[in-house]
Amino acid sequence: MNTADLKGKVLFINFWASWCPQCIAEFPSIEKLYSKYKSNEDIVFLMINMDDDIEIGKQFLVKKNYSIPIFQATSKLPKEIYSGALPTTVVVDKNGIVRMQYQGFADYGGEKFNLQIKQLIED
């Protein structure tokens, strides 16, 4: 995916690995969130797989029957976005401003978080 394709969109970025227990634990709520918004052109989900081999991440998705697409970073990631902790989630608004950054397990199925995402999409 080209970063130019992301301008003017809300970004849900999650750094994860198939060997990370907290990543695995939060994946169902992310998959549910993705399913809710996958047809909305104003939000993009970037699930950045940090396994040494992306095929391991792909196998995890198949095994769990998840549909969210995954990516691998092709260049060095800015420390402001990713410090090395897994999982890390960053939400960026349509103007490129980081609105949320969280390290560790989170449940993205909650009403409060969903309202925040909805508001960012509508702004």
Short mmCIF file of all heavy atoms in Angstrom, two decimals, residues 4-39:
data_model
loop_
_atom_site.label_atom_id
_atom_site.label_comp_id
_atom_site.label_asym_id
_atom_site.label_seq_id
_atom_site.Cartn_x
_atom_site.Cartn_y
_atom_site.Cartn_z
N ALA A 4 0.51 7.53 -0.06
CA ALA A 4 -0.28 8.57 -0.72
C ALA A 4 -1.76 8.19 -0.78
O ALA A 4 -2.63 9.05 -0.77
CB ALA A 4 0.25 8.81 -2.13
N ASP A 5 -2.05 6.88 -0.78
CA ASP A 5 -3.43 6.40 -0.80
C ASP A 5 -4.13 6.61 0.54
O ASP A 5 -5.34 6.44 0.64
CB ASP A 5 -3.48 4.90 -1.14
CG ASP A 5 -2.92 4.60 -2.52
OD1 ASP A 5 -2.95 5.50 -3.39
OD2 ASP A 5 -2.44 3.47 -2.71
N LEU A 6 -3.39 7.00 1.56
CA LEU A 6 -3.94 7.11 2.91
C LEU A 6 -4.33 8.53 3.29
O LEU A 6 -4.97 8.74 4.32
CB LEU A 6 -2.92 6.57 3.92
CG LEU A 6 -2.42 5.15 3.66
CD1 LEU A 6 -1.36 4.77 4.67
CD2 LEU A 6 -3.56 4.16 3.66
N LYS A 7 -3.97 9.50 2.48
CA LYS A 7 -4.28 10.90 2.80
C LYS A 7 -5.78 11.11 2.87
O LYS A 7 -6.53 10.63 2.04
CB LYS A 7 -3.66 11.83 1.76
CG LYS A 7 -2.15 11.87 1.85
CD LYS A 7 -1.57 12.90 0.91
CE LYS A 7 -0.08 12.78 0.86
NZ LYS A 7 0.63 13.62 1.70
N GLY A 8 -6.20 11.83 3.92
CA GLY A 8 -7.61 12.15 4.09
C GLY A 8 -8.43 11.01 4.66
O GLY A 8 -9.66 11.08 4.66
N LYS A 9 -7.76 9.98 5.18
CA LYS A 9 -8.47 8.84 5.76
C LYS A 9 -8.09 8.67 7.22
O LYS A 9 -7.00 9.03 7.64
CB LYS A 9 -8.14 7.57 4.99
CG LYS A 9 -8.55 7.64 3.53
CD LYS A 9 -8.32 6.34 2.82
CE LYS A 9 -8.62 6.42 1.34
NZ LYS A 9 -9.98 6.67 1.01
N VAL A 10 -9.00 8.10 7.99
CA VAL A 10 -8.70 7.69 9.36
C VAL A 10 -7.90 6.40 9.26
O VAL A 10 -8.24 5.50 8.48
CB VAL A 10 -9.99 7.46 10.17
CG1 VAL A 10 -9.68 6.90 11.55
CG2 VAL A 10 -10.78 8.76 10.28
N LEU A 11 -6.82 6.31 10.03
CA LEU A 11 -5.98 5.12 10.02
C LEU A 11 -6.04 4.41 11.35
O LEU A 11 -5.83 5.03 12.40
CB LEU A 11 -4.53 5.48 9.72
CG LEU A 11 -4.25 6.29 8.47
CD1 LEU A 11 -2.76 6.58 8.35
CD2 LEU A 11 -4.76 5.57 7.24
N PHE A 12 -6.36 3.14 11.32
CA PHE A 12 -6.26 2.27 12.49
C PHE A 12 -5.04 1.40 12.22
O PHE A 12 -5.06 0.55 11.34
CB PHE A 12 -7.52 1.42 12.65
CG PHE A 12 -7.47 0.50 13.83
CD1 PHE A 12 -8.05 0.88 15.03
CD2 PHE A 12 -6.86 -0.75 13.75
CE1 PHE A 12 -8.01 0.02 16.14
CE2 PHE A 12 -6.81 -1.61 14.84
CZ PHE A 12 -7.39 -1.22 16.04
N ILE A 13 -3.96 1.66 12.95
CA ILE A 13 -2.70 0.95 12.73
C ILE A 13 -2.43 0.09 13.95
O ILE A 13 -2.44 0.58 15.08
CB ILE A 13 -1.53 1.94 12.52
CG1 ILE A 13 -1.86 2.94 11.42
CG2 ILE A 13 -0.24 1.17 12.21
CD1 ILE A 13 -0.92 4.13 11.36
N ASN A 14 -2.20 -1.20 13.71
CA ASN A 14 -1.92 -2.11 14.81
C ASN A 14 -0.67 -2.91 14.48
O ASN A 14 -0.59 -3.51 13.41
CB ASN A 14 -3.11 -3.04 15.05
CG ASN A 14 -2.87 -4.01 16.20
OD1 ASN A 14 -2.37 -5.10 15.99
ND2 ASN A 14 -3.26 -3.60 17.39
N PHE A 15 0.29 -2.90 15.38
CA PHE A 15 1.51 -3.68 15.24
C PHE A 15 1.35 -4.93 16.10
O PHE A 15 1.06 -4.83 17.29
CB PHE A 15 2.72 -2.87 15.71
CG PHE A 15 2.94 -1.63 14.90
CD1 PHE A 15 2.36 -0.42 15.27
CD2 PHE A 15 3.70 -1.67 13.74
CE1 PHE A 15 2.55 0.72 14.52
CE2 PHE A 15 3.89 -0.52 12.98
CZ PHE A 15 3.30 0.67 13.37
N TRP A 16 1.51 -6.10 15.49
CA TRP A 16 1.22 -7.35 16.17
C TRP A 16 2.12 -8.46 15.64
O TRP A 16 2.76 -8.32 14.61
CB TRP A 16 -0.24 -7.74 15.98
CG TRP A 16 -0.54 -8.12 14.55
CD1 TRP A 16 -0.70 -7.27 13.48
CD2 TRP A 16 -0.64 -9.44 14.03
NE1 TRP A 16 -0.91 -8.00 12.33
CE2 TRP A 16 -0.90 -9.33 12.64
CE3 TRP A 16 -0.58 -10.71 14.60
CZ2 TRP A 16 -1.05 -10.44 11.82
CZ3 TRP A 16 -0.74 -11.82 13.78
CH2 TRP A 16 -0.98 -11.68 12.41
N ALA A 17 2.13 -9.57 16.37
CA ALA A 17 2.84 -10.77 15.93
C ALA A 17 2.05 -11.99 16.38
O ALA A 17 1.34 -11.95 17.40
CB ALA A 17 4.25 -10.81 16.51
N SER A 18 2.18 -13.07 15.64
CA SER A 18 1.41 -14.28 15.93
C SER A 18 1.86 -14.96 17.23
O SER A 18 1.11 -15.73 17.80
CB SER A 18 1.51 -15.26 14.77
OG SER A 18 2.86 -15.69 14.61
N TRP A 19 3.05 -14.66 17.71
CA TRP A 19 3.58 -15.26 18.92
C TRP A 19 3.28 -14.42 20.17
O TRP A 19 3.62 -14.81 21.28
CB TRP A 19 5.10 -15.47 18.80
CG TRP A 19 5.82 -14.25 18.31
CD1 TRP A 19 6.22 -13.98 17.05
CD2 TRP A 19 6.22 -13.10 19.09
NE1 TRP A 19 6.83 -12.75 16.97
CE2 TRP A 19 6.85 -12.19 18.22
CE3 TRP A 19 6.11 -12.76 20.43
CZ2 TRP A 19 7.36 -10.97 18.65
CZ3 TRP A 19 6.62 -11.54 20.86
CH2 TRP A 19 7.24 -10.68 19.97
N CYS A 20 2.62 -13.30 20.01
CA CYS A 20 2.37 -12.35 21.10
C CYS A 20 0.99 -12.63 21.73
O CYS A 20 -0.03 -12.41 21.08
CB CYS A 20 2.44 -10.93 20.53
SG CYS A 20 1.75 -9.64 21.58
N PRO A 21 0.94 -13.11 22.99
CA PRO A 21 -0.34 -13.45 23.61
C PRO A 21 -1.33 -12.27 23.68
O PRO A 21 -2.52 -12.45 23.45
CB PRO A 21 0.04 -13.91 25.02
CG PRO A 21 1.48 -14.31 24.91
CD PRO A 21 2.08 -13.43 23.85
N GLN A 22 -0.85 -11.07 23.99
CA GLN A 22 -1.74 -9.91 24.06
C GLN A 22 -2.29 -9.55 22.68
O GLN A 22 -3.43 -9.14 22.55
CB GLN A 22 -1.02 -8.71 24.67
CG GLN A 22 -0.73 -8.89 26.14
CD GLN A 22 -0.08 -7.66 26.74
OE1 GLN A 22 0.45 -6.79 26.05
NE2 GLN A 22 -0.13 -7.58 28.06
N CYS A 23 -1.47 -9.72 21.65
CA CYS A 23 -1.92 -9.46 20.27
C CYS A 23 -3.05 -10.42 19.90
O CYS A 23 -4.08 -10.02 19.35
CB CYS A 23 -0.77 -9.64 19.28
SG CYS A 23 0.67 -8.60 19.57
N ILE A 24 -2.83 -11.69 20.22
CA ILE A 24 -3.83 -12.72 19.92
C ILE A 24 -5.12 -12.43 20.68
O ILE A 24 -6.22 -12.58 20.13
CB ILE A 24 -3.27 -14.12 20.27
CG1 ILE A 24 -2.11 -14.45 19.31
CG2 ILE A 24 -4.37 -15.18 20.20
CD1 ILE A 24 -1.29 -15.65 19.74
N ALA A 25 -5.00 -11.99 21.93
CA ALA A 25 -6.18 -11.72 22.76
C ALA A 25 -7.01 -10.56 22.23
O ALA A 25 -8.24 -10.58 22.33
CB ALA A 25 -5.74 -11.45 24.20
N GLU A 26 -6.38 -9.54 21.65
CA GLU A 26 -7.15 -8.40 21.17
C GLU A 26 -7.63 -8.55 19.73
O GLU A 26 -8.47 -7.79 19.26
CB GLU A 26 -6.37 -7.09 21.34
CG GLU A 26 -5.22 -6.89 20.41
CD GLU A 26 -4.51 -5.55 20.62
OE1 GLU A 26 -4.84 -4.80 21.56
OE2 GLU A 26 -3.62 -5.25 19.81
N PHE A 27 -7.12 -9.55 19.02
CA PHE A 27 -7.46 -9.71 17.61
C PHE A 27 -8.96 -9.86 17.35
O PHE A 27 -9.48 -9.28 16.39
CB PHE A 27 -6.68 -10.88 17.00
CG PHE A 27 -6.09 -10.55 15.66
CD1 PHE A 27 -4.77 -10.18 15.54
CD2 PHE A 27 -6.87 -10.60 14.51
CE1 PHE A 27 -4.22 -9.87 14.31
CE2 PHE A 27 -6.34 -10.29 13.27
CZ PHE A 27 -5.02 -9.92 13.17
N PRO A 28 -9.72 -10.62 18.16
CA PRO A 28 -11.16 -10.74 17.88
C PRO A 28 -11.89 -9.39 17.88
O PRO A 28 -12.75 -9.15 17.03
CB PRO A 28 -11.68 -11.64 19.00
CG PRO A 28 -10.50 -12.47 19.38
CD PRO A 28 -9.31 -11.53 19.24
N SER A 29 -11.53 -8.49 18.78
CA SER A 29 -12.21 -7.18 18.81
C SER A 29 -11.79 -6.33 17.61
O SER A 29 -12.59 -5.55 17.09
CB SER A 29 -11.95 -6.44 20.12
OG SER A 29 -10.62 -5.99 20.24
N ILE A 30 -10.55 -6.49 17.14
CA ILE A 30 -10.11 -5.75 15.96
C ILE A 30 -10.81 -6.30 14.71
O ILE A 30 -11.27 -5.53 13.87
CB ILE A 30 -8.57 -5.81 15.80
CG1 ILE A 30 -7.90 -5.10 16.98
CG2 ILE A 30 -8.13 -5.20 14.47
CD1 ILE A 30 -6.39 -5.26 17.03
N GLU A 31 -10.93 -7.61 14.62
CA GLU A 31 -11.62 -8.23 13.49
C GLU A 31 -13.08 -7.75 13.45
O GLU A 31 -13.61 -7.45 12.37
CB GLU A 31 -11.56 -9.75 13.59
CG GLU A 31 -12.35 -10.49 12.53
CD GLU A 31 -11.76 -10.43 11.12
OE1 GLU A 31 -10.57 -10.10 10.96
OE2 GLU A 31 -12.50 -10.74 10.17
N LYS A 32 -13.71 -7.67 14.60
CA LYS A 32 -15.10 -7.20 14.68
C LYS A 32 -15.19 -5.74 14.22
O LYS A 32 -16.09 -5.37 13.47
CB LYS A 32 -15.62 -7.35 16.10
CG LYS A 32 -17.08 -7.04 16.25
CD LYS A 32 -17.56 -7.32 17.67
CE LYS A 32 -19.03 -6.99 17.80
NZ LYS A 32 -19.51 -7.22 19.17
N LEU A 33 -14.27 -4.91 14.67
CA LEU A 33 -14.23 -3.50 14.26
C LEU A 33 -14.01 -3.39 12.75
O LEU A 33 -14.70 -2.62 12.08
CB LEU A 33 -13.12 -2.76 15.03
CG LEU A 33 -13.01 -1.26 14.80
CD1 LEU A 33 -14.19 -0.53 15.43
CD2 LEU A 33 -11.69 -0.75 15.38
N TYR A 34 -13.08 -4.17 12.24
CA TYR A 34 -12.81 -4.18 10.81
C TYR A 34 -14.05 -4.59 10.02
O TYR A 34 -14.41 -3.96 9.02
CB TYR A 34 -11.64 -5.12 10.49
CG TYR A 34 -11.45 -5.37 9.02
CD1 TYR A 34 -10.94 -4.37 8.19
CD2 TYR A 34 -11.80 -6.59 8.45
CE1 TYR A 34 -10.78 -4.58 6.84
CE2 TYR A 34 -11.64 -6.81 7.09
CZ TYR A 34 -11.13 -5.81 6.30
OH TYR A 34 -10.98 -6.02 4.95
N SER A 35 -14.73 -5.63 10.48
CA SER A 35 -15.94 -6.10 9.79
C SER A 35 -17.00 -5.01 9.74
O SER A 35 -17.71 -4.89 8.74
CB SER A 35 -16.50 -7.34 10.49
OG SER A 35 -15.61 -8.41 10.35
N LYS A 36 -17.07 -4.22 10.78
CA LYS A 36 -18.06 -3.14 10.85
C LYS A 36 -17.74 -2.03 9.84
O LYS A 36 -18.65 -1.43 9.25
CB LYS A 36 -18.10 -2.57 12.27
CG LYS A 36 -19.10 -1.47 12.48
CD LYS A 36 -19.12 -1.04 13.94
CE LYS A 36 -20.13 0.07 14.17
NZ LYS A 36 -20.20 0.45 15.58
N TYR A 37 -16.46 -1.73 9.63
CA TYR A 37 -16.07 -0.57 8.82
C TYR A 37 -15.37 -0.91 7.50
O TYR A 37 -14.97 -0.01 6.77
CB TYR A 37 -15.14 0.34 9.63
CG TYR A 37 -15.85 1.07 10.74
CD1 TYR A 37 -15.68 0.70 12.06
CD2 TYR A 37 -16.70 2.13 10.46
CE1 TYR A 37 -16.33 1.38 13.09
CE2 TYR A 37 -17.36 2.81 11.47
CZ TYR A 37 -17.17 2.43 12.78
OH TYR A 37 -17.82 3.10 13.78
N LYS A 38 -15.23 -2.18 7.15
CA LYS A 38 -14.42 -2.54 5.99
C LYS A 38 -14.93 -1.97 4.67
O LYS A 38 -14.16 -1.75 3.74
CB LYS A 38 -14.25 -4.06 5.87
CG LYS A 38 -15.50 -4.83 5.56
CD LYS A 38 -15.19 -6.31 5.54
CE LYS A 38 -16.44 -7.13 5.34
NZ LYS A 38 -16.14 -8.56 5.41
N SER A 39 -16.21 -1.65 4.58
CA SER A 39 -16.74 -1.07 3.34
C SER A 39 -16.73 0.46 3.37
O SER A 39 -17.10 1.10 2.39
CB SER A 39 -18.16 -1.58 3.07
OG SER A 39 -19.02 -1.19 4.12
#
